[in-house]
Amino acid sequence: MFQLMAGRRIALLAALLVTLVAVIAELVPFWLLFRAIDALLVDPQDLPSTLLSCAVWLLVALLLKYLAYGVAYLISHHTAYAIMADTRQRLVSQLAAAPLHWLLAQGAGALKQSVIQDVERMEAFIAHHTVEVTAAVLAPLVVTGLLFWVDWRLALAVLAVGPLAFVSASIVMRGSGQEHERFNRATADLSNVTVEYLRNMPVMKIFCHATSGFRLLQRRLRDYYQLTEDITRRTVPGWSLFTSVLGAHMLLVLPLGAWLEARDEVSAAEVALAVMLGAGVFRPMLKVSRFFMEMPGIFAGLSRMAPILAIGAGPRCGASQIEPPVTLALDRVGFAYGPRSILEDVSLSLTAGSFNVLLGPSGSGKSTIAQIVAGALVPASGTARINGVEIQDLGDAERAALIALATQDVFLFSGTIRDNLRLARPTVSEAQLRRAVEVAQAQTLIEALPDGYETQVSELGARLSGGERQRIAVARALLADTQVLVLDEATAFADSLTQRAFFQALRAAYPDKALLVVAHRLYGIEQADQILVLERGQVTDRGTHAELLRSSVYYRAMWRREQQIEEWTLVADDERPGSGIGWNRPATPTEVVNG
Ligand SMILES: Nc1ncnc2c1ncn2[C@@H]1O[C@H](COP(=O)(O)OP(=O)(O)OP(=O)(O)O)[C@@H](O)[C@H]1O
């Protein structure tokens, strides 16, 4: 926090000094009251003139207090917003410099929490607490000094209630620390269940399960309120005792003051002053109790920001180290999500101009490999290198210039279709743009848009279908003009004929690219130089189409099934038993494998 405030220390110091002025002005009325009581008891004939001067000073003190607090809050708020803006800017530029794999591992939710909510919390601390906490600390210090100046015994009597209040409240509230731990956990739990419930509501409605989902939320809400009731029951008596004992200084000061006054060691006015000032020793601290409650949240936010602020410039290798033609190689790569191993000993090599396909059952780890090849994930063991350089050691610009990735999840930025296409290379020529769009089979769809290439994506909203977005994403990846192109299910938009045509056009237009395609369907992959079959995180077979037809049971089954699908025929009435027209059902892969 203090590091983040570094550039604004002078402003904050000014706010603290002005707060000191306000605190002193706040104590002036007590002093004036003391003078008035003193005049009443000691010098009654001077009372009118004393009261008049006290009234004038009272006015001055009130004006000064109002002015000083106003200026202090003005400076603290101005500084708080400036620090928040600086911090957000630093966080965002740190994130822009962060390694891709680190960024993806964080998740958008966690990053949003740091950049938005955690920074927001700093506002309360800097804008309010700097002034209020300073006043709460300074006021007791000044009052204590004054009390000792009046009489040290009266001062000690006033201060004695502090430890008394603390000890008695601690006894009553013992064990409530654990309750707060439980409260924090229950709050996080409730928030997760609420977010999940709201997110899944449409799906649950579709399956008519809205009420069963709500039951879990209801249970969590009940637990939460039960816990808050327990905590309230435990803490309210302790807190009431604490505040009552803190305000009970009179019980000690009055008898002691009377005794000292009887012995002529203090005046009655001084006893009255001690009683009045005594009320101001601990009261300001109660006002900032909210600060102590908010502190854990503020510190938790700061610790979430710390790793982002600590991101270094990242490793860089000279661009000249990687010259075409490139070879991207995974060597005995292993990967795990948490404790769950996903990939084991995966090796593959993508050479310039080669067409490589990754096949395998759902969940076998194909996308994980695609992400490792694209530098979005870092292998837990083994190496992922391009021309001998570790992909994770590449700077963002170098990696982006070498490897492009298009996936099924497409994010289009607000801006025109043309802006989206030219994201990686804004200087791309019109001819290159048209060629990529044609290969990605996006020509017709863009021409059909109201303003063609100039159509605003944000205006389109949901009007672009998933398949249409995929085509634009593929064209965008092609325009990045990289040596390696990874297509992870990015051709799901295509049917059997268009997928085949797409691969042919892609290879003809970009013959030097090293191509890695994650596919679920085999249309067009007979042309591949290398097909890898991945099962349960391991490459179980590799080879060309012809080789795999001989060696891989999985591949043969998939191929035969796709052949059957392609051969689906419309059967005429007279060829089918019963009436009407219908399709011959192809065998499932399991049926094919089992013969
Ligand atoms: N971020 C993640 N955290 C934890 N587990 C994950 C994560 N992403 C994927 N997995 C798990 O890793 C395994 C492999 O996932 P991956 O997406 O690589 O498989 P896939 O072969 O591409 O599957 P599909 O063909 O269905 O897309 C799956 O079991 C999946 O549940």
Side-chain angles (χ1 to χ4, degrees):
M1 169 82 87
F2 295 107
Q3 243 178 349
L4 298 173
M5 292 175 174
R8 314 273 167 182
R9 276 196 197 128
I10 295 179
L12 282 173
L13 196 66
L16 300 191
L17 287 176
V18 183
T19 306
L20 178 63
V21 174
V23 166
I24 292 170
E26 208 164 13
L27 293 175
V28 168
F30 294 112
W31 177 251
L32 295 174
L33 206 56
F34 163 69
R35 275 193 53 206
I37 294 170
D38 199 44
L40 181 72
L41 297 177
V42 179
D43 215 357
Q45 69 271 25
D46 269 358
L47 190 61
S49 64
T50 310
L51 286 181
L52 189 66
S53 81
C54 281
V56 173
W57 280 113
L58 190 63
L59 190 67
V60 172
L62 287 177
L63 282 176
L64 189 65
K65 176 186 149 185
Y66 170 75
L67 202 70
Y69 269 129
V71 171
Y73 274 119
L74 204 67
I75 299 175
S76 68
H77 275 79
H78 180 74
T79 314
Y81 287 114
I83 291 173
M84 282 164 68
D86 289 350
T87 308
R88 284 211 171 107
Q89 208 153 358
R90 271 180 72 181
L91 286 171
V92 171
S93 50
Q94 287 289 100
L95 288 175
L100 177 64
H101 55 86
W102 182 90
L103 208 55
L104 292 173
Q106 307 309 303
L111 296 178
K112 180 183 147 249
Q113 157 101 19
S114 288
V115 178
I116 309 288
Q117 283 105 317
D118 292 342
V119 174
E120 206 66 49
R121 283 186 176 168
M122 290 169 62
E123 189 267 341
F125 179 80
I126 302 166
H128 298 268
H129 297 326
T130 43
V131 174
E132 284 158 23
V133 174
T134 307
V137 172
L138 286 180
L141 284 179
V142 175
V143 168
T144 306
L146 268 175
L147 279 170
F148 273 99
W149 173 75
V150 171
D151 185 86
W152 66 271
R153 290 156 298 188
L154 290 176
L156 287 182
V158 168
L159 294 179
V161 292
L164 268 178
F166 187 75
V167 171
S168 51
S170 304
I171 293 170
V172 175
M173 291 203 278
R174 70 184 176 280
S176 61
Q178 286 155 358
E179 299 278 305
H180 277 104
E181 271 292 300
R182 274 180 62 204
F183 176 75
N184 286 342
R185 274 200 306 271
T187 311
D189 209 19
L190 180 63
S191 142
N192 287 341
V193 173
T194 311
V195 168
E196 189 167 322
Y197 177 74
L198 294 176
R199 195 187 291 148
N200 295 338
M201 215 181 221
V203 180
M204 290 198 289
K205 274 204 174 294
I206 287 170
F207 293 103
C208 207
H209 270 297
T211 44
S212 68
F214 185 61
R215 248 177 258 137
L216 178 65
L217 178 60
Q218 244 178 343
R219 215 170 32 241
R220 290 285 189 279
L221 277 170
R222 246 197 328 268
D223 292 350
Y224 178 83
Y225 286 113
Q226 184 61 51
L227 186 61
T228 51
E229 279 214 348
D230 288 352
I231 291 177
T232 311
R233 224 175 298 122
R234 263 200 127 137
T235 51
V236 164
W239 184 249
S240 311
L241 183 67
F242 183 66
T243 49
S244 309
V245 176
L246 272 191
H249 66 285
M250 260 194 280
L251 291 178
L252 300 177
V253 175
L254 275 180
L256 179 68
W259 181 70
L260 290 173
E261 204 261 348
R263 288 162 58 98
D264 262 352
E265 290 181 29
V266 294
S267 68
E270 283 172 333
V271 177
L273 182 63
V275 169
M276 287 184 294
L277 287 177
V281 174
F282 296 109
R283 209 180 37 208
M285 289 185 190
L286 295 179
K287 277 204 283 185
V288 291
S289 56
R290 199 167 54 94
F291 163 75
F292 293 103
M293 285 182 222
E294 285 174 8
M295 275 324 275
I298 293 171
F299 281 127
L302 289 174
S303 63
R304 277 190 291 267
M305 278 184 228
I308 303 177
L309 294 169
I311 295 168
R316 292 283 183 273
C317 81
S320 58
Q321 272 181 271
I322 302 166
E323 289 287 332
V326 299
T327 298
L328 192 153
L330 302 193
D331 186 23
R332 311 200 64 181
V333 160
F335 187 83
Y337 285 112
R340 191 169 156 225
S341 170
I342 303 294
L343 299 177
E344 262 177 63
D345 244 2
V346 171
S347 297
L348 60 87
S349 174
L350 312 175
T351 52
S354 67
F355 177 18
N356 309 274
V357 175
L358 206 48
L359 282 180
S362 179
S364 56
K366 302 181 294 295
S367 295
T368 308
I369 293 183
Q371 302 268 334
I372 290 173
V373 167
L377 291 177
V378 175
S381 59
T383 56
R385 293 194 170 114
I386 183 159
N387 280 13
V389 176
E390 293 265 8
I391 297 173
Q392 58 176 310
D393 288 342
L394 297 172
D396 278 351
E398 285 139 355
R399 192 202 55 255
L402 288 165
I403 312 163
L405 167 73
T407 67
Q408 234 176 339
D409 304 321
V410 181
F411 186 76
L412 297 181
F413 297 89
S414 56
T416 62
I417 292 282
R418 188 185 294 280
D419 294 338
N420 269 280
L421 289 168
R422 296 193 310 186
L423 181 72
R425 280 208 314 151
T427 55
V428 78
S429 73
E430 197 60 26
Q432 287 167 320
L433 188 99
R434 305 261 165 186
R435 183 176 61 154
V437 165
E438 221 163 277
V439 171
Q441 302 173 8
Q443 187 75 27
T444 326
L445 94 89
I446 294 175
E447 279 166 4
L449 293 173
D451 295 315
Y453 283 89
E454 310 314 322
T455 308
Q456 289 288 336
V457 169
S458 52
E459 284 172 22
L460 289 170
R463 270 177 44 209
L464 275 183
S465 74
E468 288 168 342
R469 295 165 88 89
Q470 274 169 21
R471 285 164 213 238
I472 289 171
V474 170
R476 181 164 68 186
L478 291 172
L479 284 166
D481 196 24
T482 53
Q483 302 291 314
V484 181
L485 174 63
V486 184
L487 300 177
D488 182 2
E489 293 289 337
T491 55
F493 64 85
D495 58 30
S496 59
L497 288 178
T498 48
Q499 178 162 309
R500 196 165 275 136
F502 167 72
F503 288 137
Q504 274 163 0
L506 178 62
R507 298 203 72 195
Y510 303 93
D512 299 329
K513 273 191 201 298
L515 202 61
L516 177 65
V517 173
V518 173
H520 269 140
R521 294 169 310 164
L522 309 185
Y523 313 119
I525 72 164
E526 314 90 286
Q527 321 155 28
D529 300 304
Q530 179 183 218
I531 301 165
L532 297 115
V533 177
L534 194 73
E535 289 174 280
R536 289 182 300 279
Q538 285 180 315
V539 178
T540 48
D541 260 303
R542 69 179 78 207
T544 59
H545 168 71
E547 286 164 350
L548 287 183
L549 275 184
R550 283 194 297 275
S551 65
S552 168
V553 176
Y554 176 83
Y555 187 79
R556 210 167 34 242
M558 270 195 88
W559 179 250
R560 279 168 58 188
R561 184 167 183 267
E562 296 226 343
Q563 290 300 102
Q564 284 178 321
I565 291 171
E566 275 200 275
E567 283 161 12
W568 269 19
T569 48
L570 203 57
V571 182
D573 273 358
D574 54 350
E575 290 174 46
R576 281 171 60 85
S579 60
I581 54 171
W583 298 97
N584 281 333
R585 183 182 72 81
T588 65
T590 325
E591 287 167 351
V592 175
V593 171
N594 295 336

